[in-house]
Amino acid sequence: MPERGPIHGPEHMPGQVSEQVPGQVSEQVPGQVAEQVPDQVADQVPEQVPGQVSPDRVPDLMPDLMPDRLGGLGRLDSLAAAIARHNEGLWSDSAVPRLTLVALDELIAPVDLLYAPMICFIADGAKRTVAGDRSWVTGRGDMFLNSLVLPVTCTFEQAPYRSAVLHLDGRLLADLLLELDGTDPRPLPRPGAPGGQVTAPMTPELLDAVTRWVRLLDTPDDIRPLASRIEAEILYRLLAGPLGPILRQYTLADSGEARVRAAAAYISTHYAEPLSIATIAATAHMSPATLHRHFKAATGMSPLRFQKHLRLQEARRQLVAGDTTAALVAEAVGYASATQFNREYRRTYGLPPAQDASRLRGRLTGARGRAQAD
């Protein structure tokens, strides 16, 4: 989710990164990536892990008044309609820089995605996201910030689903902070617990800016002169709100958060290689124990579990996309033992590799046939 496209994924997948798959955004991943997403889906809803926790959630002080707080249902409906007008599939890049659109009209099976650093603004519907031991639900009127490359499984729980995804550009954000230079008199919320994800309700002012940003697609001649200005307004309003602390941390080159992002990006580009905690820790300039603690706090999983998720996502993509065998794919993504690969694949996706790939190809063919019929 952009979220962006299945088994690659604004919400991505190994091989690419940006509600993208390893490979795009300031932290690039093997292949490409910006909510990008895997082109495949899993069969069963991921089981909740005992002790699973949610990312930081900034509570809505007026939950029962959400439509009124956002200026009535009309504003959210306007954003959802603008997304639907320009969506060209489940995940669609757009002519507006760093904007991906996500639109789903009926519920589908869970999908593997590789998130890149991004903010997802949800205009309609709801989805559950699972990353390691972390799980959270975002719905209509919510926004979600992810600050690092992250393999996840998403389950759409309400349809129709509509979201706009802003892929973060660290330099743009840093330039805006330099321009503000402490001139914003409003107090900032205190940072929450360590983590790479935060969810919060949108404010009316932010919703208005995001809607105008997406509506630029209605008037293409306005994109070049106005897109960067509206994006700067969106970032300004985000910095002044509950996402501000983690966005500020995102621009710091030598913070603990930056080191964890560096470790995640390194694993994403070297996931097929034998990696040790010591090697990853050296890349992040941390001790192994410190890296393990901070990495799990930010991603919900250990560095080596993170690597395994990337390997299995990429293996699944290759199996569904090409005429190949499980043994060849296992070797391509870094498994020395085909037996171990088959065992971990089945544990994750519920079926042996060949059967799972055949099932997914059938689903994709059926979905494309329905789309053409429509």
Side-chain angles (χ1 to χ4, degrees):
M1 209 105 98
E3 298 172 27
R4 174 178 166 145
I7 289 180
H8 279 292
E11 285 151 8
H12 289 254
M13 166 159 191
Q16 215 186 352
V17 183
S18 154
E19 347 339 283
Q20 286 181 333
V21 176
Q24 184 183 350
V25 169
S26 42
E27 256 118 21
Q28 300 256 327
V29 180
Q32 174 189 10
V33 184
E35 224 136 31
Q36 286 178 338
V37 179
D39 284 340
Q40 294 77 17
V41 271
D43 218 15
Q44 60 280 55
V45 175
E47 296 181 2
Q48 293 295 312
V49 178
Q52 201 166 51
V53 296
S54 299
D56 297 337
R57 169 73 188 183
V58 179
D60 189 344
L61 299 180
M62 300 179 291
D64 296 332
L65 302 178
M66 188 272 285
D68 292 329
R69 173 175 57 73
L70 292 179
L73 293 174
R75 289 192 180 184
L76 283 169
D77 289 340
S78 294
L79 176 57
I83 293 169
R85 282 197 301 275
H86 299 284
N87 178 264
E88 298 177 355
L90 184 52
W91 285 270
S92 303
D93 288 330
S94 75
V96 174
R98 291 172 292 282
L99 170 62
T100 297
L101 305 177
V102 184
L104 179 72
D105 291 322
E106 59 185 31
L107 298 179
I108 61 175
V111 294
D112 288 342
L113 307 176
L114 184 65
Y115 279 178
M118 56 92 181
I119 302 171
C120 177
F121 305 98
I122 301 177
D124 204 2
K127 70 176 178 182
R128 176 179 298 277
T129 306
V130 176
D133 295 336
R134 313 189 89 192
S135 173
W136 60 94
V137 176
T138 45
R140 182 175 170 88
D142 285 341
M143 57 182 171
F144 161 69
L145 164 63
N146 174 64
S147 65
L148 74 172
V149 175
L150 185 68
V152 302
T153 299
C154 290
T155 302
F156 293 92
E157 298 193 336
Q158 293 180 17
Y161 178 89
R162 303 284 187 267
S163 69
V165 179
L166 167 61
H167 300 292
L168 290 176
D169 184 315
R171 277 189 280 188
L172 285 177
L173 194 55
D175 288 345
L176 179 59
L177 283 170
L178 287 174
E179 184 178 344
L180 294 175
D181 191 29
T183 58
D184 188 350
R186 287 170 289 187
L188 291 171
R190 297 172 60 187
Q197 302 83 39
V198 177
T199 63
M202 286 187 278
T203 64
E205 296 79 12
L206 178 60
L207 175 60
D208 176 69
V210 172
T211 302
R212 285 186 281 112
W213 191 49
V214 175
R215 281 180 171 173
L216 288 175
L217 295 169
D218 294 331
T219 53
D221 290 345
D222 292 341
I223 293 175
R224 185 172 181 180
L226 296 180
S228 61
R229 290 170 170 80
I230 299 176
E231 182 180 356
E233 178 187 348
I234 292 170
L235 292 174
Y236 168 75
R237 297 194 181 283
L238 290 167
L239 285 167
L243 273 53
I246 197 169
L247 283 173
R248 281 172 166 73
Q249 293 165 2
Y250 183 77
T251 66
L252 300 178
D254 196 34
S255 64
E257 291 77 6
R259 293 178 182 182
V260 170
R261 287 199 305 273
Y266 180 82
I267 298 170
S268 296
T269 55
H270 298 274
Y271 67 91
E273 304 171 13
L275 295 177
S276 67
I277 289 292
T279 299
I280 301 168
T283 300
H285 305 290
M286 287 177 153
S287 70
T290 301
L291 171 68
H292 189 280
R293 183 173 66 255
H294 285 275
F295 196 95
K296 188 166 185 179
T299 67
M301 63 194 95
S302 69
L304 295 184
R305 186 179 174 192
F306 184 96
Q307 179 190 22
K308 184 179 79 170
H309 276 290
L310 291 176
R311 284 179 168 182
L312 291 174
Q313 282 192 353
E314 176 62 14
R316 202 179 199 206
R317 185 194 67 78
Q318 290 186 23
L319 285 165
V320 173
D323 183 14
T324 186
T325 67
L328 289 174
V329 168
E331 182 178 3
V333 299
Y335 278 90
S337 166
T339 300
Q340 180 187 2
F341 168 72
N342 289 334
R343 182 171 60 250
E344 293 186 353
Y345 191 103
R346 183 167 189 164
R347 183 184 301 135
T348 300
Y349 297 119
L351 286 175
Q355 292 182 32
D356 180 60
S358 176
R359 175 189 60 180
L360 290 175
R361 280 194 292 267
R363 286 181 175 171
L364 290 171
T365 300
R368 287 165 183 158
R370 288 193 299 272
Q372 290 172 357
D374 293 342

